[in-house]
Amino acid sequence: MPDLLMLLLLVVAIAIGYVLGRLGTRRKREEYIAKAFDKSYFKGLNQLLNEQPDAAIDTFIEALEVNSDTLETHLALGNLLRRQGEADRAVRIHQNLLARPGLTPSQQHQAQLELARDYVMAGLLDRAERLFQELVELSPELRDTCLEGLIEIYRDEKEWEKAINAVEHLVGRRFSKVPHKWRCAQAHFCCELAEQALEKDDYLSARRYLKASLGYDKSLVRASLLWGQLEHQLGNDREALKILKKIPQQDADFLGEALQLFVKCYEQLNDYPGLQKFLQQLQEDYPSNSIILELTERIRQTQGDMAAATYIGSQLKSRPSVRGLSKLLDFYLSHSKEKAQENLTLLKELIDQIIVSKPTYRCGHCGFTGNQLHWLCPSCKSWSTVKAIRGVEGE
């Protein structure tokens, strides 16, 4: 914190130097110096040296007069504090700006915007929402920025209908193509509403929301996956398969999330040959380790352990996989004895520890990793960017 406050002091000093450079006469410079370095300014220095940061910041704010020349310095101080996690202090700086007379409407709106961002950082979302809503009406220049702020608040508060409407206000007046980012967001908001409907067994509403979701973004795997789960739950497995088979064209990277649902639907229909043929076609078109493991299980059930071991062993030569190796060891463990079994067990345990220790998902936008699929990245708050990791340790 002391380093941060020294940086703040440096910023204030630079601002004062900037204003001094703009003052034309020597007399004006002398008057400004006398004003800037009065007792309140030195009081702030004393508070800083005595580790009283809150009081020091208040004193420096008072020492630096608010006008068109120093406004950006005040805003920069507040923004710096907010980025450092000092939301309460940033709020004080921006509230101080709004309390000072002489700001133009545009300057007031800018200060309100920064204050709203402070409130978001502080978790005071109701206050931030009110400020954003006011600015949407008052400031055409800041309208889009404030609508984006509202969308983030509604997303975090899980107010999905409001989030959808806010995106409509943001993009509805544009004649150009709507950015995929916002259509994707609306599609996910509809999926959230569909999940809420499913929790209440309101299947009619769930289907309506899922249809709307695919209307916003026809490539959204999440909507197809939810819809397939819905139809499977209701016993409509042929319809479920029809919906789920759109996923490879939507985004094949999410096929692993639907694989077990494909298996359940085929099994409910007692169509095991169809399942085998479908999996083989998937592996040919969209190869992945999950599909190999599922095919291995099909072979084990129909032809036995050794045939399954032979298959997965051949696949490992062309597509090395830690999970595949673990599965291969399972087969050999069940047919080994004494010392060989002991050694294979040790090797299997080591490989399984590697599997458990490695993340299975990664965000393609920010690099966040984890062992659970998040449709909304917990780190960068991007939709549909967290996918299964591919390669030897993943898919």
Side-chain angles (χ1 to χ4, degrees):
M1 187 62 195
D3 291 340
L4 172 60
L5 289 173
M6 291 304 293
L7 180 58
L8 295 178
L9 179 57
L10 178 61
V11 173
V12 172
I14 292 172
I16 293 173
Y18 171 76
V19 177
L20 284 174
R22 291 176 60 89
L23 296 174
T25 66
R26 179 178 179 180
R27 180 178 178 182
K28 286 184 178 180
R29 289 194 183 95
E30 291 173 349
E31 290 174 354
Y32 189 88
I33 292 171
K35 182 177 181 180
F37 292 91
D38 62 10
K39 62 180 182 180
S40 65
Y41 192 86
F42 287 104
K43 178 182 177 183
L45 284 175
N46 184 59
Q47 291 165 334
L48 180 61
L49 294 173
N50 285 291
E51 298 185 357
Q52 296 176 291
D54 289 337
I57 289 174
D58 288 336
T59 302
F60 287 137
I61 292 171
E62 294 171 1
L64 187 59
E65 181 184 357
V66 178
N67 54 48
S68 59
D69 291 320
T70 63
L71 176 68
E72 291 301 322
T73 301
H74 279 272
L75 292 175
L77 289 173
N79 294 346
L80 179 59
L81 285 168
R82 184 173 66 239
R83 288 195 298 272
Q84 294 292 331
E86 302 287 341
D88 292 343
R89 288 169 178 156
V91 165
R92 293 202 336 255
I93 288 178
H94 293 130
Q95 284 179 333
N96 173 73
L97 281 178
L98 292 171
R100 299 290 182 94
L103 295 182
T104 67
S106 177
Q107 291 170 334
Q108 288 178 336
H109 295 159
Q110 187 62 45
Q112 283 180 294
L113 173 62
E114 299 304 333
L115 181 59
R117 289 169 170 167
D118 296 340
Y119 285 148
V120 170
M121 175 67 72
L124 303 173
L125 300 184
D126 289 344
R127 297 184 187 181
E129 180 182 357
R130 286 195 294 271
L131 279 176
F132 281 136
Q133 287 173 338
E134 289 177 10
L135 288 171
V136 167
E137 302 297 328
L138 295 175
S139 176
E141 295 81 7
L142 300 177
R143 177 184 182 276
D144 287 0
T145 299
C146 293
L147 282 170
E148 291 180 14
L150 285 171
I151 293 167
E152 292 179 1
I153 289 174
Y154 296 145
R155 178 201 66 205
D156 293 344
E157 291 286 278
K158 302 185 185 304
E159 297 187 64
W160 309 117
E161 294 281 7
K162 287 185 177 180
I164 291 170
N165 292 333
V167 176
E168 288 294 342
H169 280 91
L170 177 65
V171 303
R173 62 193 177 90
R174 297 180 180 176
F175 295 100
S176 59
K177 185 178 179 180
V178 174
H180 179 260
K181 167 186 175 181
W182 296 117
R183 287 309 184 197
C184 179
Q186 285 180 303
H188 277 287
F189 298 154
C190 288
C191 285
E192 295 286 351
L193 290 168
E195 288 186 347
Q196 291 179 354
L198 287 172
E199 290 175 359
K200 302 174 184 177
D201 295 331
D202 184 357
Y203 304 121
L204 184 63
S205 294
R207 283 194 182 99
R208 177 165 54 86
Y209 287 128
L210 292 171
K211 182 178 180 181
S213 176
L214 290 170
Y216 286 122
D217 183 3
K218 64 182 181 181
S219 67
L220 191 70
V221 170
R222 183 185 184 184
S224 296
L225 191 58
L226 280 172
W227 205 334
Q229 290 170 341
L230 167 60
E231 299 302 339
H232 170 67
Q233 183 178 341
L234 295 177
N236 304 323
D237 290 287
R238 292 193 186 280
E239 182 64 22
L241 285 173
K242 181 180 177 181
I243 294 167
L244 292 170
K245 286 181 178 180
K246 297 177 181 178
I247 290 177
Q249 287 74 42
Q250 289 176 316
D251 193 335
D253 287 339
F254 287 107
L255 259 177
E257 312 307 322
L259 203 55
Q260 290 307 308
L261 188 54
F262 275 119
V263 173
K264 290 177 181 178
C265 290
Y266 274 105
E267 288 178 341
Q268 282 295 109
L269 294 169
N270 291 315
D271 186 6
Y272 295 98
L275 173 59
Q276 181 80 10
K277 181 179 178 181
F278 175 70
L279 290 174
Q280 288 172 341
Q281 189 63 52
L282 278 185
Q283 180 59 16
E284 183 178 333
D285 296 338
Y286 312 99
S288 78
N289 294 325
S290 291
I291 299 173
I292 291 174
L293 292 174
E294 193 58 47
L295 278 167
T296 302
E297 181 61 22
R298 298 297 110 197
I299 295 172
R300 186 194 68 78
Q301 291 179 7
T302 57
Q303 303 176 42
D305 285 359
M306 287 300 98
T310 299
Y311 170 76
I312 197 169
S314 66
Q315 292 296 318
L316 285 171
K317 292 178 182 178
S318 59
R319 193 179 183 87
S321 160
V322 177
R323 287 195 296 155
L325 181 58
S326 177
K327 188 67 174 177
L328 180 62
L329 288 172
D330 281 335
F331 293 130
Y332 282 106
L333 267 171
S334 62
H335 294 82
S336 61
K337 296 179 181 180
E338 299 176 354
K339 190 63 177 179
Q341 188 176 59
E342 182 181 340
N343 291 336
L344 287 173
T345 299
L346 177 59
L347 180 58
K348 175 75 162 56
E349 290 175 353
L350 290 173
I351 291 173
D352 288 345
Q353 287 179 17
I354 292 173
I355 294 173
V356 171
S357 67
K358 297 294 184 179
T360 51
Y361 294 93
R362 178 183 293 116
C363 175
H365 185 261
C366 71
F368 167 86
T369 58
N371 291 311
Q372 179 182 350
L373 173 64
H374 296 275
W375 294 110
L376 178 69
C377 176
S379 178
C380 66
K381 304 298 182 182
S382 298
W383 290 103
S384 295
T385 56
V386 177
K387 299 181 179 180
I389 295 173
R390 302 187 71 83
V392 173
E393 296 175 353
E395 286 294 342

